[in-house]
Amino acid sequence: MVRTREDRWLFQIGSHRKFFAIMDESGEKGDSYNSKRVCTRHFTFSDTRTHDTLSVCIPEVLDPQYGMYVWPCAAVLAQYIWYSQHKIPNLTILELGAGTALPGIIAAKCGALVTLSDSENLPYCLQNCHASCKANNLTNVNVLGVTWGSFTPNLINLNPQDVILASDCFYDPKDFDDVIAAIAYLISKNPKAECWCTYQVRSSDWSIEHLLHKWDLDFTSVPLSEFDADSSCIADSNLPGNHTIQMFIIKQKTN
């Protein structure tokens, strides 16, 4: 999977961090998560209404698997969760395609019962979810392999969720139907559930509306200005929220 030049630029402007190589347990560099070049990025979220703040640190890995970086969509979704903190405690929340898991980590810090998930075929991403939990002293967060388009026991046996988080999951059009199928299945287990989604517009020709209709889902757009995410720097991270990013909430269609 190749990111666009625009995406690479977004990564570079937010790269105020130091990378260092981590050895594996034997002391040798190897083909394992622990031998990859890892850094930690710090985020401080603030609420202008209450003046509350929340700081977290997220490990990132220099790796061809782009799910191991924090991208702007994740910061926008995390900001929405932080602004919704009053209704987060005790909700059951699943993050799809979590990668570095910034939104899920914020939800857990706000008192949600969180499960982080990523593809069963991407073990490094799942290990990075574990690393994010450890870096933020979260011991009660589950990490689970859930592959879009595959109805495996991990997905089928999940308890009903109140909220599904999806940050930049709509990156490759070939995956759109699989992502929405997973969302539709999860919402079918709890018809009152919502999917909180952030999406970066990369082509005016791409749309998910017909797929939402196919799976009997509907969506509502949420302006970024409503939760202070339309800035050039979210949570002191140098990640812009106003760069063609959209926020929307997916629900079961009502008759």
Side-chain angles (χ1 to χ4, degrees):
M1 186 186 300
V2 179
R3 287 274 178 174
T4 63
R5 181 169 57 182
E6 173 186 71
D7 283 338
R8 291 194 293 270
W9 175 78
L10 285 171
F11 173 66
Q12 290 166 0
I13 65 171
S15 60
H16 296 288
R17 54 214 173 205
K18 294 181 179 179
F19 285 99
F20 53 92
I22 295 182
M23 301 292 185
D24 61 22
E25 292 181 357
S26 67
E28 300 294 332
K29 291 183 180 180
D31 186 20
S32 68
Y33 177 85
N34 287 335
S35 67
K36 291 185 176 295
R37 295 169 64 85
V38 180
C39 74
T40 300
R41 176 180 278 182
H42 295 270
F43 296 82
T44 299
F45 292 86
S46 58
D47 189 332
T48 56
R49 304 164 301 179
T50 63
H51 305 293
D52 291 338
T53 61
L54 174 64
S55 295
V56 297
C57 52
I58 302 294
E60 294 181 308
V61 178
L62 187 60
D63 187 86
Q65 295 179 11
Y66 286 95
M68 299 173 78
Y69 310 135
V70 179
W71 295 92
C73 277
V76 171
L77 184 53
Q79 176 80 353
Y80 181 80
I81 295 165
W82 175 239
Y83 258 60
S84 305
Q85 59 180 288
H86 61 284
K87 58 183 179 182
I88 295 295
N90 298 318
L91 291 181
T92 55
I93 293 182
L94 170 72
E95 182 172 4
L96 292 175
T100 57
L102 175 60
I105 294 296
I106 295 297
K109 285 288 189 179
C110 290
L113 307 173
V114 173
T115 298
L116 304 174
S117 73
D118 213 308
S119 172
E120 295 163 294
N121 302 318
L122 298 175
Y124 289 159
C125 288
L126 293 171
Q127 288 175 289
N128 213 54
C129 290
H130 282 292
S132 290
C133 292
K134 183 177 181 180
N136 292 282
N137 300 312
L138 293 169
T139 59
N140 59 343
V141 173
N142 295 319
V143 177
L144 196 64
V146 174
T147 303
W148 306 329
S150 298
F151 287 82
T152 61
N154 280 353
L155 177 62
I156 293 170
N157 295 331
L158 268 173
N159 291 327
Q161 303 293 306
D162 297 309
V163 175
I164 302 111
L165 303 176
S167 164
D168 217 2
C169 290
F170 296 108
Y171 170 73
D172 191 333
K174 70 177 177 57
D175 294 327
F176 286 7
D177 197 31
D178 287 342
V179 175
I180 294 177
I183 292 170
Y185 175 74
L186 291 163
I187 289 179
S188 73
K189 299 177 77 169
N190 176 14
K192 294 183 179 180
E194 297 180 349
C195 178
W196 298 353
C197 237
T198 47
Y199 165 67
Q200 183 168 340
V201 179
R202 294 182 171 91
S203 172
S204 59
D205 296 328
W206 296 354
S207 174
I208 64 170
E209 289 190 46
H210 66 292
L211 295 173
L212 292 173
H213 178 75
K214 169 185 172 181
W215 291 100
D216 291 323
L217 298 173
D218 207 348
F219 76 99
T220 303
S221 295
V222 182
L224 272 57
S225 58
E226 289 189 2
F227 54 101
D228 284 354
D230 56 340
S231 67
S232 58
C233 180
I234 296 177
D236 298 332
S237 66
N238 293 320
L239 288 176
N242 55 354
H243 195 85
T244 65
I245 294 173
Q246 298 177 356
M247 164 84 200
F248 50 95
I249 296 174
I250 298 173
K251 298 180 182 181
Q252 190 174 74
K253 186 177 292 184
T254 56
N255 295 327

